[in-house]
């Protein structure tokens, strides 16, 4: 063998050993399953901080066209998100329709996937406005968007300030900024459409409840739909977060890898403080001093939600129902996953409660529906049954358990309650809703009932 052959063999061997690493990091899906990168990113905060940028402020008071808002949000993500330009082949049905409508490109980047969107229904004067939760992005609604679209609704989503880039952006955000964005989106949408449904997930739901009970509601708003609504966190000392955040070098509650392109995994103290402020606005104590809600309400919750106190949520829903107008009360609907024994003794007898039960072997193996699972279909390419991404934030401080959760071939799935983690030490937090097909029908029925009550 001559020297050239030896050199070629060595070169090819090196390239073959190096190529797998290139492939792993080439898009948002493969990066999320590369444990060596995940470990490095968690340790060094590679994806935790926004890129340096000087982005122009969007004037929410100007009542700018919604398309101008969408363009502004997309540009912000493009300059601030450290992975904005990374290829992200996550082809949900919603994304494919956005491509067909000309508002997205065929080969998506992370910016394309997580940016707020408008899924237009031609000739329709009905719209749903969907507001995501804390640390999330509009990707939260790629699956639910289809339910509304198939009912003839244009679907609009927004990006709450501090989101769409990196977790560090939440260190400089407050409740008033979120309220301002929500107010703009609602008032812009009621200008553009004749019928408007408001839908919110987690903190987004709290923001919508606050708006609905404090503002002069347009008669065009027909219903309020809440998914894992933010009522109270399990930690009742959330008010302390804003004071702890003032201590130098004490800025984070969790520092994770942030490989989930659609949701921050790291969590700043200020984010907890802002979310606590939002949920405080809809506490039972505050509700008693505010006008009654005058809208039919559809809610979906889990009995063992590890993020939000389900008992507090049920008290909130009961309070909203009891003071609601009779013509709306009869439409109020609650989808409760898990045990119905969690319902308080004084829960309204005329509240329509749906309590789905597992009917498949796969569902029976799931240890409770998590807070983050409710909005996602099992077929979701990022969060679904066959997706490569795994939520293992429960084990941030335990490297061995964290690695097992991220890499084991047969993970246990469910909500990260203390009881579950004790029994299943490497439990992966459930990221999809096994009852999603039923939920689609339940949402459709609610919408038809609302429209029928209006004589539509």
């Amino acid at each position: 063998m001559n020297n050239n052959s030896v050199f070629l063999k060595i070169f090819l061997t090196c390239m073959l050993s190096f190529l797998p690493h290139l492939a792993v990091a080439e898009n948002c899906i493969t990066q999320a399953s590369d444990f060596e990168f995940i470990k490095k990113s968690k340790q060094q905060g590679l994806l935790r901080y926004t890129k340096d940028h000087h982005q122009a402020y969007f004037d929410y008071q100007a009542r700018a066209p919604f398309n101008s808002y969408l363009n502004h949000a997309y540009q912000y993500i493009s300059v601030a998100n450290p992975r904005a330009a990374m290829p992200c082949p996550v082809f949900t049905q919603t994304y494919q329709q956005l491509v067909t409508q000309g508002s997205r490109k065929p080969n998506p980047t992370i910016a394309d996937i997580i940016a707020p969107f408008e899924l237009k229904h031609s000739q329709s004067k009905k719209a749903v406005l969907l507001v995501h939760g804390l640390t999330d992005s509009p990707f939260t609604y790629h699956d639910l968007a289809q339910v509304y679209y198939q009912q003839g609704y244009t679907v609009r989503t927004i990006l709450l300030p501090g989101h769409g880039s990196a977790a560090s952006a939440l260190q400089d955000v407050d409740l008033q900024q979120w309220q301002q964005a929500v107010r703009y989106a609602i008032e812009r949408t009621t200008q553009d459409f004749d019928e408007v449904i408001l839908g919110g997930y987690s903190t987004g739901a709290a923001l919508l409840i606050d708006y609905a009970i404090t503002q002069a509601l347009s008669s065009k708003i027909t219903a309020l739909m809440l998914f894992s609504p933010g009522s109270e966190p399990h930690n009742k000392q959330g008010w302390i977060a804003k004071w702890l955040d003032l201590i130098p070098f004490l800025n984070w509650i969790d520092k994770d890898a942030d490989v989930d392109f659609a949701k921050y995994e790291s969590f700043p103290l200020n984010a907890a403080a802002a979310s606590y402020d939002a949920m405080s606005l809809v506490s039972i104590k505050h509700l008693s001093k505010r006008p009654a809600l005058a809208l039919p309400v559809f809610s979906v919750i889990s009995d063992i939600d590890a993020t939000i106190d389900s008992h507090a949520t049920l008290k909130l829903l009961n309070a909203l129902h009891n003071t609601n107008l009779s013509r709306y009360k009869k439409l109020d609907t609650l989808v409760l996953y898990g045990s119905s024994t969690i319902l308080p003794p004084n829960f309204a007898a005329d509240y329509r409660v749906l309590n789905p039960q597992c009917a498949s072997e796969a569902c029976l193996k799931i240890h409770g529906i998590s807070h983050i699972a409710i909005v996602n279909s099992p077929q979701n390419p990022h969060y679904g049954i066959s997706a490569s991404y795994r939520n293992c934030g429960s084990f941030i401080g335990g490297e061995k358990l964290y690695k097992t959760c991220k890499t084991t071939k047969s993970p246990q799935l469910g909500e990260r309650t203390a009881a579950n983690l004790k029994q299943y030490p490497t439990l992966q937090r459930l990221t999809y809703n096994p009852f999603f097909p039923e939920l689609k029908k339940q949402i459709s029925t609610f919408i038809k009932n609302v429209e029928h009550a209006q004589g539509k």
Side-chain angles (χ1 to χ4, degrees):
M1 183 179 293
N2 58 36
N3 290 339
N4 288 338
S5 298
V6 172
F7 175 80
L8 180 61
K9 184 176 181 180
I10 294 173
F11 174 78
L12 289 174
T13 301
C14 292
M15 286 301 296
L16 287 173
S17 64
F18 185 62
L19 280 174
H21 299 286
L22 285 178
V24 164
E26 69 182 1
N27 67 51
C28 68
I29 297 175
T30 54
Q31 190 178 66
S33 58
D34 178 0
F35 185 72
E36 290 305 311
F37 176 80
I38 292 171
K39 183 169 65 174
K40 183 178 180 181
S41 184
K42 184 163 79 79
Q43 292 170 346
Q44 301 180 19
L46 300 180
L47 304 175
R48 197 173 298 143
Y49 299 93
T50 61
K51 292 163 58 179
D52 291 336
H53 67 284
H54 299 283
Q55 179 69 12
Y57 172 76
F58 182 78
D59 185 4
Y60 292 107
Q61 299 301 323
R63 303 294 181 260
F66 195 69
N67 194 55
S68 296
Y69 165 74
L70 293 178
N71 290 336
H72 184 277
Y74 186 92
Q75 290 304 313
Y76 164 76
I77 294 170
S78 297
V79 299
N81 189 307
R83 295 190 296 170
M86 174 176 277
C88 196
V90 177
F91 296 101
T92 62
Q93 188 173 352
T94 290
Y95 190 83
Q96 294 176 58
Q97 289 174 328
L98 291 172
V99 172
T100 300
Q101 294 183 4
S103 57
R104 289 292 189 273
K105 54 194 178 189
N107 299 311
T109 62
I110 285 179
D112 293 308
I113 294 294
I114 68 172
F117 59 87
E118 181 175 35
L119 188 61
K120 298 178 181 179
H121 217 297
S122 60
Q123 308 304 316
S124 176
K125 293 303 291 180
K126 303 186 297 184
V128 58
L129 175 68
L130 301 172
V131 183
H132 66 78
L134 180 64
T135 76
D136 298 307
S137 73
F139 182 78
T140 295
Y141 290 113
H142 271 233
D143 293 336
L144 283 175
Q146 291 303 308
V147 187
Y148 295 102
Y149 188 77
Q150 290 164 15
Q151 295 296 309
Y153 285 74
T154 286
V155 182
R156 282 183 172 180
T157 64
I158 65 170
L159 183 73
L160 291 176
H163 296 79
S165 53
S168 67
L170 289 176
Q171 294 177 317
D172 301 309
V173 74
D174 59 38
L175 170 61
Q176 288 69 38
Q177 291 173 287
W178 292 344
Q179 289 175 309
Q180 193 176 43
V182 167
R183 188 180 305 115
Y184 159 77
I186 292 174
E187 295 177 4
R188 179 71 259 176
T189 302
T190 54
Q191 287 183 53
D192 297 338
F193 295 88
D194 294 337
E195 300 172 48
V196 177
I197 291 174
L198 302 179
Y201 165 67
S202 194
T203 301
L207 292 168
L208 289 180
I209 295 171
D210 171 57
Y211 181 91
I213 60 180
T214 59
Q215 305 298 315
L217 280 185
S218 167
S219 60
K220 294 180 179 181
I221 298 175
T222 61
L224 184 62
M225 305 190 73
L226 313 172
F227 303 92
S228 298
S231 53
E232 290 182 16
H234 282 287
N235 183 353
K236 306 306 180 185
Q237 307 305 317
W239 60 273
I240 297 176
K242 65 178 64 180
W243 302 109
L244 292 177
D245 193 41
L246 298 175
I247 301 174
F249 310 111
L250 187 60
N251 299 319
W252 298 89
I253 295 175
D254 290 329
K255 291 182 178 180
D256 206 338
D258 293 297
V259 293
D260 184 348
F261 66 82
K263 177 182 177 69
Y264 302 155
E265 295 175 319
S266 296
F267 196 62
L269 273 164
N270 185 66
S275 182
Y276 178 83
D277 288 343
M279 288 187 276
S280 295
L281 295 174
V282 298
S283 67
I284 299 296
K285 180 178 69 175
H286 280 83
L287 283 184
S288 62
K289 304 173 184 176
R290 293 183 167 194
L293 178 70
L295 283 175
V297 179
F298 179 94
S299 305
V300 191
I301 72 169
S302 167
D303 66 332
I304 58 169
D305 188 320
T307 301
I308 298 297
D309 186 337
S310 298
H311 296 278
T313 299
L314 290 170
K315 290 179 182 178
L316 169 63
L317 295 176
N318 199 42
L320 293 173
H321 177 83
N322 287 335
T323 57
N324 210 341
L325 299 178
S326 58
R327 68 175 182 270
Y328 299 134
K329 280 185 180 183
K330 63 183 181 181
L331 298 172
D332 284 350
T333 303
L334 168 64
V335 179
L336 172 62
Y337 298 131
S339 175
S340 60
T341 59
I342 192 176
L343 291 168
N346 65 340
F347 197 74
D350 60 345
Y351 215 117
R352 184 170 184 246
V353 179
L354 307 175
N355 186 217
Q357 300 298 313
C358 285
S360 68
E361 185 177 347
C363 179
L364 289 169
K365 291 181 179 179
I366 292 173
H367 311 296
I369 308 302
S370 76
H371 176 83
I372 63 175
I374 283 174
V375 293
N376 298 316
S377 164
Q379 281 69 52
N380 187 288
H382 179 53
Y383 290 128
I385 293 175
S386 302
S388 58
Y389 172 74
R390 297 185 179 188
N391 187 299
C392 298
S394 305
F395 315 108
I396 291 175
E399 294 299 330
K400 184 176 180 180
L401 293 177
Y402 186 83
K403 181 177 182 179
T404 302
C405 177
K406 286 286 189 182
T407 60
T408 185
K409 291 183 179 179
S410 302
Q412 296 287 340
L413 302 174
E415 180 58 297
R416 58 182 184 195
T417 63
N420 274 343
L421 291 174
K422 183 177 180 180
Q423 187 171 359
Y424 310 104
T426 58
L427 178 135
Q428 175 188 328
R429 198 177 195 194
L430 184 69
T431 52
Y432 65 87
N433 185 352
F435 299 106
F436 197 82
E438 291 177 70
L439 180 60
K440 291 168 62 177
K441 295 177 184 178
Q442 291 155 350
I443 291 173
S444 298
T445 298
F446 174 78
I447 291 174
K448 288 176 183 176
N449 289 340
V450 168
E451 293 179 343
H452 178 73
Q454 295 176 317
K456 304 288 179 156

